[in-house]
Amino acid sequence: MNIDILHGKTIEHLELLEGTKLYLSKHAINDFLKLQKEAAQTGFDLQIASAFRDYSRQLSIWNSKAKGERPLFDDKGIELTFSSLSPKEIMFAILRWSALPGCSRHHWGTDIDVYDAKNISSKELKLSTAEYENNGPCSALSDWLSLRMLSHEAYGFYRPYQTDRGGVAPEAWHLSYYSVARRISDVFTFSLFKKNIEEGDLLLKKELLENADEIYNRFVMNFDLP
């Protein structure tokens, strides 16, 4: 496999979703369209808020959070006070809600963030737990997706962050195309993970390398299976 695919540094494995500016895995597009069509027949407007995200974009997000230019949140989604956190605490707070550049599943084109455009606009969407639970604007869509996945009728998509495993926070909006994503994750060795940190222009690099084993096992390889 081209390692650039793993780290989000190429789009050779992707195709543009017709009518959008979104890139997805060539293998996932047709099955997403089938899922979208069935959602529409049920009364939902299933749309993608985020699909492929390249390394540069993820790096920008990471470094902005590491500098305190974007908010950080605790496990309950409550904003943290940046100035009160140590560099290590900042690092782990970022990892709870944002992937390390070069380690995001969005690099692969297999993972998407979805929402119900019938009930909330892309500009209003925050991708927060409240939007997908307790009668939130995407809660009915989320429930429908859950039932589809339980009956294995979600055309190969599932939620890699369905449960709280102590790593990435649960994300009801995050769907992954399992057959391709699993093949990619299987080649993501610790040595590739560490080399990605060492060669990247990342803030908090010292803290990342000092805690590399825990980060790899807790935030990169720690996900649900279908």
Side-chain angles (χ1 to χ4, degrees), residues 13-142:
H13 57 305
L14 309 176
E15 287 184 1
L16 192 64
L17 182 63
E18 186 175 356
T20 76
K21 297 181 180 180
L22 302 168
Y23 283 92
L24 276 73
S25 165
K26 299 173 182 178
H27 306 285
I29 285 182
N30 286 339
D31 282 334
F32 169 74
L33 292 174
K34 291 175 185 176
L35 184 64
Q36 187 181 52
K37 181 178 180 180
E38 286 209 13
Q41 292 171 344
T42 311
F44 304 112
D45 186 2
L46 176 65
Q47 296 296 334
I48 299 176
S50 179
F52 169 73
R53 190 182 305 134
D54 68 15
Y55 180 91
S56 295
R57 176 58 179 156
Q58 199 68 31
L59 179 65
S60 174
I61 293 171
W62 176 271
N63 283 346
S64 292
K65 289 191 173 185
K67 290 186 288 187
E69 295 173 351
R70 289 171 176 253
L72 302 178
F73 300 95
D74 66 11
D75 290 352
K76 296 181 179 180
I78 299 173
E79 187 169 346
L80 297 167
T81 302
F82 183 84
S83 60
S84 69
L85 302 175
S86 69
K88 183 177 179 180
E89 289 171 332
I90 292 170
M91 177 191 70
F92 279 118
I94 299 172
L95 287 167
R96 184 67 166 154
W97 296 99
S98 295
L100 188 68
C103 302
S104 173
R105 296 176 68 98
H106 282 283
H107 292 334
W108 309 342
T110 58
D111 286 50
I112 54 179
D113 297 331
V114 300
Y115 68 104
D116 186 1
K118 187 174 181 180
N119 289 317
I120 190 169
S121 71
S122 60
K123 292 182 179 180
E124 296 173 310
L125 186 70
K126 296 179 180 179
L127 294 177
S128 67
T129 300
E131 293 170 329
Y132 293 78
E133 294 181 351
N134 302 322
N135 297 315
C138 299
S139 61
L141 171 65
S142 181

